[in-house]
Amino acid sequence: MKTCHRFDTIKAGFERDVRFLRGHAERHRGSAPAKTSAKNAFSVKRNMARALNRHLDRCPECG
Protein backbone atom coordinates (compact mmCIF):
# COMPACT_ATOMS: atom_id res chain seq x y z
CA MET A 1 0.00 0.00 0.00
CA LYS A 2 1.34 3.42 -0.94
CA THR A 3 1.20 6.02 1.80
CA CYS A 4 1.86 9.75 1.92
CA HIS A 5 4.70 11.66 3.53
CA ARG A 6 2.55 12.62 6.54
CA PHE A 7 1.83 8.94 7.30
CA ASP A 8 5.56 8.19 7.29
CA THR A 9 6.24 11.17 9.55
CA ILE A 10 3.58 10.13 12.07
CA LYS A 11 4.84 6.55 12.10
CA ALA A 12 8.50 7.56 12.48
CA GLY A 13 7.70 9.80 15.45
CA PHE A 14 5.83 7.09 17.28
CA GLU A 15 8.46 4.46 16.50
CA ARG A 16 11.19 6.77 17.86
CA ASP A 17 9.25 7.12 21.12
CA VAL A 18 8.70 3.36 21.40
CA ARG A 19 12.42 2.68 20.81
CA PHE A 20 13.36 5.21 23.48
CA LEU A 21 10.97 3.73 26.06
CA ARG A 22 11.97 0.14 25.32
CA GLY A 23 15.64 1.07 25.47
CA HIS A 24 15.15 2.65 28.87
CA ALA A 25 13.32 -0.45 30.08
CA GLU A 26 16.17 -2.66 28.85
CA ARG A 27 18.90 -0.55 30.45
CA HIS A 28 17.17 -0.40 33.84
CA ARG A 29 15.66 -3.88 33.85
CA GLY A 30 13.82 -4.79 37.05
CA SER A 31 13.37 -1.28 38.42
CA ALA A 32 10.04 0.45 38.84
CA PRO A 33 10.83 3.13 36.20
CA ALA A 34 11.73 0.37 33.72
CA LYS A 35 8.39 -1.32 34.26
CA THR A 36 6.64 2.00 33.74
CA SER A 37 8.60 2.60 30.53
CA ALA A 38 7.63 -0.84 29.23
CA LYS A 39 3.96 -0.14 29.94
CA ASN A 40 4.23 3.29 28.33
CA ALA A 41 5.85 1.74 25.24
CA PHE A 42 2.86 -0.56 24.91
CA SER A 43 0.49 2.40 25.21
CA VAL A 44 2.43 4.45 22.68
CA LYS A 45 2.31 1.56 20.23
CA ARG A 46 -1.46 1.31 20.65
CA ASN A 47 -1.78 5.08 20.19
CA MET A 48 0.31 4.83 17.04
CA ALA A 49 -2.10 2.29 15.60
CA ARG A 50 -5.02 4.57 16.37
CA ALA A 51 -3.35 7.62 14.87
CA LEU A 52 -2.35 5.79 11.70
CA ASN A 53 -5.81 4.29 11.23
CA ARG A 54 -7.39 7.70 11.75
CA HIS A 55 -4.96 9.16 9.20
CA LEU A 56 -5.78 6.45 6.66
CA ASP A 57 -9.50 7.12 7.08
CA ARG A 58 -9.11 10.84 6.45
CA CYS A 59 -6.24 11.17 3.98
CA PRO A 60 -7.29 11.27 0.31
CA GLU A 61 -3.74 10.42 -0.80
CA CYS A 62 -3.48 7.26 1.33
CA GLY A 63 -7.02 6.05 0.86
Side-chain angles (χ1 to χ4, degrees):
M1 173 173 73
K2 184 162 173 43
T3 56
C4 70
H5 173 69
R6 180 75 179 134
F7 181 92
D8 296 334
T9 304
I10 294 168
K11 186 175 179 182
F14 276 107
E15 287 177 341
R16 182 181 56 243
D17 292 344
V18 169
R19 276 194 310 273
F20 175 80
L21 290 167
R22 285 186 177 164
H24 181 269
E26 287 290 320
R27 285 189 303 277
H28 303 284
R29 191 172 300 172
S31 69
K35 292 175 186 176
T36 301
S37 287
K39 288 178 186 176
N40 286 343
F42 180 78
S43 295
V44 168
K45 194 160 185 168
R46 185 177 56 229
N47 290 343
M48 176 179 69
R50 287 181 185 155
L52 293 176
N53 280 329
R54 188 175 30 231
H55 174 83
L56 288 173
D57 289 342
R58 297 178 181 179
C59 180
E61 196 175 328
C62 291

